[in-house]
Amino acid sequence: MNKWSEQHVGKAAALRCLPVLSVLLLFTLAGCVRQQTKPEALKPPPTPPAHDEHLAAIAQQKKQITALQQQLSERDAQIVKLQLRLLEKQAEINQLSVSQEDAIQEVVRAKAKLRSRSNKAESVANMAEVAMMVKTVKRKTLTEQQAGKVKRAEQLMEMSNRALEEGNFDGAAYLAEEALNLVRPIMMQREGEQNGGTDQEQVAFASPLTLHVNSRSNVRDKPDINSRVLFLVDQGDRVKGYAYKGEWIRILDKDGNSGWIYHQLVGTEK
């Protein structure tokens, strides 16, 4: 075989191998591409920073809500305990009120069994005085506690009137005194506020007033419910008023007796 023939045969063999080599080259390149792109495809996409902050804020809010719910639950439990204690205290107050009422009734019954040391005139005068003071205090602006005391004083005065009707003069006087003990501190406080905390001076009327007595009443030596009773005046009596101090009027009766009477127990001539 000559040289030309050898060259021709070599070229022909190379041409026959070319397709196979091309296919192998393509597969090799595809494998390299897959090896390079596969790890990148498996990676998750990056999370935006704003999304992370939003999730953290939601988690924080959930914690705060849970804490507030716990606080509300604890407050509810405290409220229930306080309500139960209030019921307990109210029951104790009711029991004490019943005991006090029983004690008062027992004193009144005991006085009814004894020979009366008081007469009807004295009892009526004392009761009229106290009743007017209760009415005066009731018209003032009162706190809830003071209003409760005034209401109780009114109840005692009703009991006093029943005892008087039954002829139990000592019992009637006792109940009126109990009512007075309830309203006296209120009156003293109100008078102190009106007078600016100082003793009020006696003020003379421009001219003596002719007054009539509304009901049998006490006339005292000082303008004070605690002062000594000097004498009594009867309903319909005419007296002269010369001065006043606080809610008391200094009067002179037809016999020349002078003293102080509560202002609502007298009125002007019609």
Side-chain angles (χ1 to χ4, degrees):
M1 184 179 297
N2 56 26
K3 182 182 285 188
W4 184 88
S5 299
E6 292 177 355
Q7 291 177 353
H8 182 73
V9 171
K11 290 179 180 180
L15 289 173
R16 286 196 298 273
C17 294
L18 184 60
V20 176
L21 293 175
S22 299
V23 171
L24 291 174
L25 180 61
L26 288 175
F27 278 111
T28 302
L29 291 175
C32 293
V33 170
R34 284 196 298 271
Q35 289 178 358
Q36 293 178 358
T37 59
K38 187 174 181 180
E40 295 295 331
L42 293 177
K43 290 183 179 180
T47 304
H51 182 67
D52 292 340
E53 294 177 359
H54 181 66
L55 291 178
I58 292 175
Q60 183 64 25
Q61 290 178 354
K62 287 182 178 180
K63 290 181 179 179
Q64 293 177 353
I65 291 172
T66 301
L68 289 174
Q69 289 175 339
Q70 181 65 27
Q71 292 179 3
L72 288 174
S73 179
E74 293 174 356
R75 292 287 177 86
D76 289 341
Q78 292 177 356
I79 290 172
V80 171
K81 289 181 179 179
L82 290 174
Q83 289 174 337
L84 293 174
R85 290 182 62 185
L86 179 60
L87 289 175
E88 181 183 10
K89 293 298 181 184
Q90 187 61 51
E92 292 178 0
I93 291 172
N94 293 339
Q95 184 62 38
L96 290 173
S97 297
V98 171
S99 300
Q100 183 184 29
E101 187 72 19
D102 291 342
I104 290 175
Q105 292 292 349
E106 185 62 29
V107 171
V108 173
R109 286 192 292 268
K111 288 181 177 294
K113 294 177 182 180
L114 298 173
R115 184 176 180 179
S116 179
R117 295 187 303 272
S118 302
N119 58 47
K120 186 175 181 179
E122 292 175 351
S123 298
V124 170
N126 290 333
M127 291 169 59
E129 203 171 38
V130 176
M132 288 301 175
M133 290 186 176
V134 172
K135 289 182 180 179
T136 300
V137 171
K138 188 178 180 180
R139 288 196 294 266
K140 299 180 183 296
T141 302
L142 303 174
T143 65
E144 184 177 354
Q145 184 180 18
Q146 290 173 337
K149 290 183 177 181
V150 172
K151 183 177 180 180
R152 178 57 179 163
E154 290 179 317
Q155 294 172 348
L156 291 171
M157 289 307 299
E158 292 176 0
M159 296 167 61
S160 179
N161 288 325
R162 289 196 296 269
L164 183 67
E165 293 172 358
E166 296 169 357
N168 184 2
F169 305 137
D170 280 339
Y174 166 76
L175 291 166
E177 182 67 22
E178 289 294 309
L180 179 60
N181 290 336
L182 290 173
V183 299
R184 182 189 287 118
I186 302 174
M187 290 194 64
M188 293 176 64
Q189 179 182 354
R190 295 296 176 179
E191 289 176 359
E193 292 173 354
Q194 293 173 358
N195 301 335
T198 61
D199 291 335
Q200 191 174 18
E201 295 296 330
Q202 175 179 323
V203 179
F205 293 121
S207 60
L209 304 178
T210 300
L211 306 171
H212 71 274
V213 179
N214 295 328
S215 62
R216 181 171 290 170
S217 309
N218 292 324
V219 180
R220 299 179 179 272
D221 65 341
K222 296 179 181 179
D224 185 352
I225 188 65
N226 296 318
S227 62
R228 181 169 56 93
V229 176
L230 298 177
F231 58 95
L232 300 179
V233 288
D234 289 323
Q235 183 177 0
D237 285 354
R238 285 175 173 77
V239 296
K240 292 290 186 179
Y242 288 91
Y244 66 92
K245 183 176 181 180
E247 296 183 342
W248 296 80
I249 298 175
R250 186 167 63 83
I251 65 167
L252 188 71
D253 72 355
K254 59 184 179 180
D255 297 324
N257 300 313
S258 179
W260 294 87
I261 190 171
Y262 193 63
H263 75 286
Q264 287 197 350
L265 295 173
V266 294
T268 57
E269 290 286 270
K270 296 181 180 179

